[in-house]
């Protein structure tokens, strides 16, 4: 009986360890791989897009346990070779974002990251741009843009998007014609909502430039980026509101 109980207990412990060791769990080695990929992406860019190095302090955080791995020491993070780890306090909000903690401006990324290498590089570049945007003169901003929840706001925005999608799919004079239409639709929307121009501009600079940077540094071909941007625009029609989400496809499309 005792032997059977011991064997059962051992099997239970083995099963528990197997359950904890999830195939995509965040570990020191996986964190080191992400830091290396982010550094290589930044080095490949070489400041070409924004004149500054995108790579800097990064926090990789498990959203359930709040366990964090970093590429530099701070706070209560403890070194494991060239990687630092610890548990973030509850006072630190968790998101894919730029955040200030322990006196350092970080790029925070929530685990798991996208498995697709192009999507992962795009996310890395997007969030690393947020860390340096103040330095670039594009301060973080999140105006409400509530006019894009109205009928006229939604209609004229979607007309602008459709023209941008057409421009991304064409070449030469046809591209210019569709781009001219996109700007005309945008101008008409801002005639209807004259007080909205600054709010739209701020959010496009905040999220649109980050999204464009992610596209540009994803490693996809220019043609693949244009196809993906068109698909992103097309998928937006399913969104219940555009008041914040509009900036992502708009900034990426104009940038491309």
């Amino acid at each position: 009986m005792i032997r059977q109980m011991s064997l059962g207990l051992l099997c239970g412990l083995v099963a528990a360890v197997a359950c904890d060791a999830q195939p995509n769990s965040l570990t020191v080695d996986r964190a080191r791989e992400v830091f290396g990929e982010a550094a290589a992406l930044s080095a490949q860019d070489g400041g070409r897009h924004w004149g500054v190095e995108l790579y800097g302090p990064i926090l990789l955080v498990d959203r359930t346990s709040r366990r964090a791995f970093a590429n530099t020491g701070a706070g209560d993070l403890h070194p494991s070779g060239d990687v630092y780890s610890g548990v973030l306090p509850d006072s630190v909000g968790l998101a894919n974002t730029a955040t200030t903690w322990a006196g350092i401006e970080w790029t925070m990324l929530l685990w798991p990251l996208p498995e697709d290498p192009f999507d992962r590089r795009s996310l890395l570049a997007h969030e690393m741009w947020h860390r340096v945007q103040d330095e670039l003169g594009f301060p973080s901003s999140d105006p409400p843009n509530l006019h894009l929840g109205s009928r006229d706001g939604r209609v004229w925005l979607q007309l602008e998007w459709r023209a941008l999608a057409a421009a991304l799919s064409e070449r030469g004079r046809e591209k210019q014609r569709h781009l001219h239409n996109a700007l005309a639709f945008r101008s008409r929307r801002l005639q209807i909502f004259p007080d909205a121009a600054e709010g739209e501009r701020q959010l496009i600079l905040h999220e649109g430039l980050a999204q464009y940077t992610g596209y540009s540094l994803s490693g996809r071909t220019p043609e693949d980026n244009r196809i993906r941007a068109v698909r992103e625009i097309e998928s937006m029609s399913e969104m219940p509101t555009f008041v914040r989400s509009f900036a992502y496809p708009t900034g990426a499309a104009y940038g491309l």
Side-chain angles (χ1 to χ4, degrees), residues 143-192:
N145 288 293
L146 297 179
H147 64 292
L148 295 178
S150 70
R151 182 195 63 181
D152 283 345
R154 289 178 64 90
V155 167
W156 289 100
L157 175 62
Q158 289 181 89
L159 288 171
E160 179 186 6
W161 278 343
R162 291 183 184 186
L164 282 172
L168 287 165
S169 303
E170 296 288 351
R171 298 288 186 273
R173 295 182 64 179
E174 280 299 298
K175 175 188 288 290
Q176 293 183 11
R177 181 174 69 84
H178 290 303
L179 183 57
H180 176 85
N181 289 339
L183 294 171
F185 292 138
R186 177 177 180 79
S187 177
R188 176 56 181 154
R189 181 175 70 255
L190 296 180
Q191 287 175 0
I192 299 172

Side-chain angles (χ1 to χ4, degrees), residues 114-124 218 220 228:
E115 292 185 8
D116 180 87
F118 300 115
D119 289 345
R120 187 172 58 251
R121 285 170 59 93
S122 183
L123 176 63
L124 288 171
S218 67
R220 295 186 180 92
R228 188 172 180 83

Side-chain angles (χ1 to χ4, degrees), residues 210-225:
Q211 190 78 340
Y212 162 71
T213 304
Y215 267 85
S216 191
L217 297 179
S218 67
R220 295 186 180 92
T221 67
E223 181 61 25
D224 285 343
N225 272 333

Side-chain angles (χ1 to χ4, degrees), residues 27-234:
T27 64
V28 169
D29 288 340
R30 289 198 173 101
R32 185 179 290 113
E33 290 174 2
V34 172
F35 299 149
E37 186 173 27
L41 184 155
S42 179
Q44 182 180 355
D45 174 53
R48 178 171 60 90
H49 282 80
W50 300 106
V52 299
E53 183 179 3
L54 295 176
Y55 185 70
I58 297 177
L59 281 172
L60 278 176
V61 187
D62 184 288
R63 66 185 77 209
T64 302
S65 66
R66 302 185 66 88
R67 185 164 181 79
F69 292 83
N71 59 350
T72 189
D76 294 327
L77 301 178
H78 304 290
S80 298
D82 55 348
V83 175
Y84 301 79
S85 65
V87 178
L88 291 184
D90 292 340
S91 58
V92 180
L94 302 186
N96 289 322
T97 188
T99 189
T100 301
W101 174 65
I104 295 176
E105 186 72 14
W106 302 87
T107 294
M108 179 186 288
L109 296 159
L110 299 186
W111 193 264
L113 301 187
E115 292 185 8
D116 180 87
F118 300 115
D119 289 345
R120 187 172 58 251
R121 285 170 59 93
S122 183
L123 176 63
L124 288 171
H126 180 119
E127 300 304 340
M128 287 195 295
W129 184 89
H130 277 311
R131 190 187 66 83
V132 300
Q133 69 180 90
D134 286 349
E135 176 186 350
L136 296 171
F138 300 115
S140 176
S141 181
D142 196 11
N145 288 293
L146 297 179
H147 64 292
L148 295 178
S150 70
R151 182 195 63 181
D152 283 345
R154 289 178 64 90
V155 167
W156 289 100
L157 175 62
Q158 289 181 89
L159 288 171
E160 179 186 6
W161 278 343
R162 291 183 184 186
L164 282 172
L168 287 165
S169 303
E170 296 288 351
R171 298 288 186 273
R173 295 182 64 179
E174 280 299 298
K175 175 188 288 290
Q176 293 183 11
R177 181 174 69 84
H178 290 303
L179 183 57
H180 176 85
N181 289 339
L183 294 171
F185 292 138
R186 177 177 180 79
S187 177
R188 176 56 181 154
R189 181 175 70 255
L190 296 180
Q191 287 175 0
I192 299 172
F193 303 100
D195 296 332
E198 181 60 17
E200 286 195 20
R201 186 187 73 86
Q202 288 181 17
L203 196 54
I204 290 174
L205 291 178
H206 176 59
E207 291 294 4
L209 291 183
Q211 190 78 340
Y212 162 71
T213 304
Y215 267 85
S216 191
L217 297 179
S218 67
R220 295 186 180 92
T221 67
E223 181 61 25
D224 285 343
N225 272 333
R226 287 192 289 269
I227 292 172
R228 188 172 180 83
V230 170
R231 289 175 179 169
E232 184 177 11
I233 288 173
E234 292 173 346

